[in-house]
């Protein structure tokens, strides 16, 4: 005859082991969840440290690719080619449309005809006069002169002069290296504001 008590104790012990094993087994799962959370936190922090965001990539792609630069590049080439032959400046005047104006050089005591497609300085030098200059780019005042007849820009067009302010222009001052005649006038060379 079997004693039921040991059998019952054995069954209880077996169930206890199974339960403990099950509990321990499920105890590892939260570890994976924590890892995912850490990875997610890192991922969220990356854009804030300068990692390119989708928006930034889009800007880069738009500026670098898109139509902007290729289109601008083509335009730039065209401008450069034309600029090389005087394309976009006030001297860009077709040969058959060039006009001439009588300009009196007060200090030289002569009146000459100046074309409207060349700077005053160059045309004065063509006369053999030793006129003052330095940069020849409108970035100093070495070549400055004064038009006695009124505001200089009523008589000349400057090609990107960067030195004279509105008052000086209104007083008749001009930078002869970048000044293209647009009317007849009298000029005193070697006169800076
Ligand atoms: S030479 Fe420098 S502005 Fe004319």
């Amino acid at each position: 005859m079997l004693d039921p008590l040991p059998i019952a104790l054995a069954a209880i012990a077996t169930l206890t082991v199974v339960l403990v094993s099950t509990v321990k087994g499920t105890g590892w799962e939260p570890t994976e969840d924590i890892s995912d959370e850490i990875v997610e936190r890192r991922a969220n922090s990356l854009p804030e440290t300068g990692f390119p965001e989708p928006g930034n990539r889009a800007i880069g792609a738009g500026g670098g690719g898109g139509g902007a630069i290729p289109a601008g590049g083509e335009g730039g080439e065209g401008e450069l080619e034309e600029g090389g032959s005087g394309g976009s400046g006030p001297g860009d005047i077709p040969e058959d449309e060039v006009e001439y104006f009588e300009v009196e050089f007060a200090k030289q005591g002569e009146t000459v005809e100046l074309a409207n497609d060349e700077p005053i300085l160059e045309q004065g030098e063509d006369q053999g006069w030793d006129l003052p200059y330095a940069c020849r780019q409108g970035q100093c005042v070495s070549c400055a002169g004064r038009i006695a007849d009124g505001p200089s820009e009523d008589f000349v067009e400057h090609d990107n002069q960067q030195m004279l302010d509105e008052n000086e222009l209104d007083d008749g001052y001009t930078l002869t290296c970048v000044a293209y005649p647009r009317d007849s006038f009298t000029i005193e060379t070697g006169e800076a504001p």
Side-chain angles (χ1 to χ4, degrees):
M1 292 296 286
L2 292 174
D3 187 352
L5 183 59
I7 293 173
L9 289 175
I12 290 170
T14 301
L15 285 173
T16 304
V17 169
V18 168
L19 283 172
V20 168
S21 299
T22 303
V23 170
K24 281 184 179 177
T26 56
W28 288 99
E29 291 178 7
T31 303
E32 294 176 12
D33 292 338
I34 290 171
S35 297
D36 289 343
E37 190 178 334
I38 291 172
V39 169
E40 191 176 338
R41 282 181 194 166
R42 287 179 178 171
N44 288 336
S45 71
L46 285 175
E48 297 172 6
T49 56
F51 191 86
E53 292 181 85
N56 292 340
R57 289 194 196 103
I59 292 169
I69 283 188
E74 287 172 9
E77 286 175 10
E79 286 173 8
L80 283 176
E81 285 172 8
E82 291 178 9
S85 59
S88 56
D92 176 32
I93 298 171
E95 204 170 320
D96 59 353
E97 294 179 19
V98 171
E99 291 183 66
Y100 294 84
F101 300 103
E102 288 198 345
V103 175
E104 179 185 0
F105 285 78
K107 290 185 178 176
Q108 288 75 16
E110 289 194 41
T111 299
V112 296
E113 283 198 336
L114 299 190
N116 63 351
D117 66 341
E118 279 186 48
I120 296 170
L121 175 62
E122 283 182 25
Q123 298 191 72
E125 290 173 333
D126 289 344
Q127 297 296 318
W129 299 327
D130 184 20
L131 300 176
Y133 70 87
C135 71
R136 304 184 81 98
Q137 294 181 353
Q139 295 176 1
C140 69
V141 292
S142 299
C143 67
R146 184 163 184 267
I147 295 172
D149 305 285
S152 63
E153 295 201 320
D154 287 355
F155 301 93
V156 301
E157 183 175 352
H158 289 110
D159 183 9
N160 194 31
Q161 74 84 16
Q162 298 176 28
M163 299 303 293
L164 303 177
D165 63 26
E166 285 298 319
N167 290 334
E168 292 163 344
L169 292 170
D170 287 347
D171 283 344
Y173 290 103
T174 178
L175 299 182
T176 62
C177 70
V178 291
Y180 294 76
R182 292 294 181 259
D183 203 343
S184 295
F185 55 88
T186 298
I187 185 171
E188 291 179 84
T189 55
E191 291 291 329

